[in-house]
Amino acid sequence: MSDSGAVAGSRKICVIGAGPAGLSAARALRRLGIPYEQFERHSDVGGIWDLNNPGTPMYESAHFISSRKTSGFFDYPMPEDYPDYPGNRQILAYTRAFAAAYGLRDAIRFDCAVTDVAEDGDDWLVTLDDGSVRRYRAVICATGITWSPRTPQHPGRFDGEIRHSSTFRSALEFRGRRVLIVGLGNSGADIACDAAANADAAFVSIRRGYHVIPKHVFGIPSDELANTGPQLPLWLERPVFQALLRLLLGDLRKYGLPKPDHKLFESHPLLNSQLVHHLQHGDVAIRPDIAALEGSRVRFTDGTSEEVDLILYATGYDWEIPYAEKYFHWSEGRPDLYLSVFNREHRNLFGLGYIEVNSSAYTLFDHISNVVAQYLHDQDHNHSRAADFDRLIATDRPKLNGGIKFLATARHRSYVDAHAYHGYLATLRKRLGWRNLTPGMFDPDRTDAAQRVSGTRP
């Protein structure tokens, strides 16, 4: 491939995207003095948490589903005056404060999209939307997994409005309407609560039951309790937690939720305290899968029907890396990556953030970025260790499910158990002599030792 117009011989790394994953990668590279350039198609950092970022799936009522103390970047805790579950504006303010704290904006070129990534020998040629081409020794794709909405098709004709939840922003959109939410992931559950409080009538169509976990247990955030409590083996943890949920919530089938067809932890649970409240008060009703659309009515698989004027599909997203799609091996819509990061066939092409995990993602990104940066550093300073890791990338296929038999669906192909993942990273670091994250290790890169992010909503 010709590199006409490309920067010749660049030893820099290219980071694509300035959301949480991209910022994590940038901080890790800066710590080791690895030169890099970063590109962000939007006008500021924050990724999906910026409501003004075109195509973001974020909505005004969105909050973290992991709690403040268990979330956030490593060694950069969220402000203590943030609530247990911060809102999207607070998360955006926190993320931007993180970028400022470590001087990460300096290397970011905003309003600049990457349109193509092409392998050229041992290097990568990156084409920008202005037509320019730049050469890098590695590319970190950190553009996220929630930008390509998935909308199923149902037979029949619908006279009302059909939208994907990615277009939803405000609960006020439901005023005076009869709304059907299709899908009950955590976003679907949140949006269903908005509909319950604002719509003339609200329904949720689901294909399977889910385990519901309240956001607080005994006044403590659920994930904080799980992390700080005794670490039980799965065979004991599952029945203990199930018994606790029955005590706290009772039998949810009486509110229309089907019995889950899977064991606890085998799929994402619904971390929501409001949905059960609205079900108990009749503000929202559960319906089965859609059988057909019939003008102003929707008929369900149990033969019942409802008149609605808005169908909102909360049915998830297709994973894409459009500028480098052909360099990833895809299976059921998920890329085959070692540790969900390292491309097995194309050296120095990484996918950071293409993972689903049963814990907070921010801190996990930092642990991943720490390994990526040390691997890239070794390519210049410890060739034999880098070669050892190259062999692992090509051949190692560890089990990262922690003994959990996740559902056999395309979505769950990329699921990992956080404890198993962290445990395996620890094994790799010990084997290769790489450093673990330790408090204070990023302090030399801080540019705002005295500054802190405010907990007030901007």
Side-chain angles (χ1 to χ4, degrees):
M1 177 180 291
S2 170
D3 63 344
S4 175
V7 177
S10 172
R11 298 300 297 162
K12 291 183 178 179
I13 311 300
C14 175
V15 180
I16 307 175
L23 294 176
S24 171
R27 183 174 69 161
L29 295 173
R30 279 176 61 92
R31 184 184 75 82
L32 293 178
I34 301 174
Y36 72 95
E37 292 177 339
Q38 190 165 7
F39 300 97
E40 168 56 51
R41 69 177 183 178
H42 187 41
S43 58
D44 208 338
V45 303
I48 64 171
W49 294 100
D50 185 352
L51 282 165
N52 295 316
N53 193 348
T56 177
M58 200 56 56
Y59 42 94
E60 291 179 356
S61 62
H63 289 71
F64 247 19
I65 60 171
S66 55
S67 64
R68 172 178 61 86
K69 290 184 179 180
T70 62
S71 305
F73 296 103
F74 179 82
D75 212 22
Y76 191 80
M78 294 187 188
E80 292 185 2
D81 55 356
Y82 270 23
D84 286 342
Y85 293 93
N88 62 87
R89 292 177 177 83
Q90 293 170 311
I91 299 301
L92 179 61
Y94 165 77
T95 304
R96 290 181 173 173
F98 171 82
Y102 294 94
L104 302 180
R105 290 178 178 275
D106 299 343
I108 303 174
R109 182 172 168 184
F110 293 106
D111 297 307
C112 182
V114 169
T115 60
D116 187 67
V117 169
E119 197 170 22
D120 189 50
D122 292 333
D123 294 335
W124 294 90
L125 300 181
V126 174
T127 303
L128 307 178
D129 59 2
D130 63 4
S132 63
V133 182
R134 306 181 71 85
R135 179 181 294 275
Y136 299 95
R137 71 178 178 101
V139 175
I140 300 175
C141 305
T143 42
I145 59 176
T146 55
W147 298 101
S148 180
R150 183 190 307 118
T151 303
Q153 300 296 317
H154 289 103
R157 185 196 82 254
F158 184 60
D159 295 338
E161 183 181 9
I162 295 178
R163 293 162 50 190
H164 190 272
S165 62
S166 61
T167 67
F168 172 72
R169 291 294 176 268
S170 170
L172 299 181
E173 298 172 27
F174 294 141
R175 292 284 176 89
R177 310 192 74 172
R178 296 177 62 85
V179 178
L180 173 65
I181 312 296
V182 181
L184 198 64
N186 280 296
S187 292
D190 284 349
I191 296 171
C193 292
D194 280 344
N198 291 274
D200 284 356
F203 309 94
V204 182
S205 170
I206 60 176
R207 291 184 296 178
R208 61 161 37 103
Y210 293 94
H211 295 279
V212 179
I213 298 177
K215 286 195 168 183
H216 290 84
V217 176
F218 307 130
I220 302 172
S222 300
D223 57 351
E224 185 180 336
L225 182 67
N227 288 342
T228 58
Q231 296 301 308
L232 303 175
L234 181 63
W235 64 266
L236 180 58
E237 179 185 19
R238 179 178 277 146
V240 167
F241 209 75
Q242 284 179 323
L244 180 60
L245 291 178
R246 283 195 297 270
L247 178 65
L248 294 173
L249 300 175
D251 186 354
L252 298 181
R253 288 178 294 181
K254 63 182 178 182
Y255 305 124
L257 285 170
K259 180 180 179 180
D261 60 357
H262 57 279
K263 296 178 181 179
L264 185 63
F265 308 135
E266 290 183 347
S267 178
H268 67 281
L270 291 182
L271 195 70
N272 192 295
S273 296
Q274 291 181 300
L275 181 63
V276 174
H277 166 85
H278 286 298
L279 288 171
Q280 290 171 332
H281 290 79
D283 300 324
V284 63
I286 302 296
R287 296 291 182 264
D289 198 11
I290 295 175
L293 307 178
E294 301 174 339
S296 64
R297 302 190 72 83
V298 176
R299 179 164 52 84
F300 302 102
T301 54
D302 64 352
T304 63
S305 67
E306 295 290 351
E307 185 168 348
V308 299
D309 52 42
L310 170 62
I311 299 176
L312 197 70
Y313 283 103
T315 45
Y317 299 82
D318 293 320
W319 290 17
E320 294 181 352
I321 311 177
Y323 46 83
E325 201 89 5
K326 64 182 179 181
Y327 293 108
F328 292 88
H329 175 70
W330 297 84
S331 176
E332 295 185 89
R334 298 295 187 263
D336 176 25
L337 299 171
Y338 179 52
L339 300 177
S340 300
V341 183
F342 300 89
N343 194 306
R344 294 182 184 274
E345 299 178 358
H346 302 279
R347 192 171 190 255
N348 284 348
L349 181 63
F350 309 96
L352 183 53
Y354 296 88
I355 186 173
E356 293 203 66
V357 64
N358 51 8
S359 76
S360 169
Y362 273 50
T363 305
L364 183 63
F365 291 160
D366 285 328
H367 283 277
I368 295 171
S369 296
N370 177 47
V371 170
V372 171
Q374 290 182 88
Y375 168 56
L376 290 169
H377 188 266
D378 278 353
Q379 290 179 16
D380 283 338
H381 301 281
N382 192 328
H383 295 165
S384 63
R385 187 161 63 185
D388 286 343
F389 194 62
D390 284 334
R391 285 187 284 272
L392 288 172
I393 292 173
T395 62
D396 189 25
R397 292 188 177 272
K399 291 187 180 297
L400 301 173
N401 59 3
I404 301 172
K405 187 179 180 181
F406 291 116
L407 288 177
T409 66
R411 173 177 183 177
H412 292 85
R413 281 184 59 85
S414 58
Y415 253 69
V416 301
D417 174 67
H419 292 296
Y421 193 96
H422 283 289
Y424 199 77
L425 285 184
T427 299
L428 281 179
R429 289 192 303 266
K430 184 177 180 180
R431 173 176 176 175
L432 295 164
W434 283 338
R435 183 179 178 183
N436 190 14
L437 294 179
T438 55
M441 68 187 298
F442 293 107
D443 285 354
D445 295 314
R446 288 290 293 262
T447 61
D448 70 333
Q451 185 179 347
R452 65 181 295 276
V453 57
S454 170
T456 58
R457 296 176 71 89

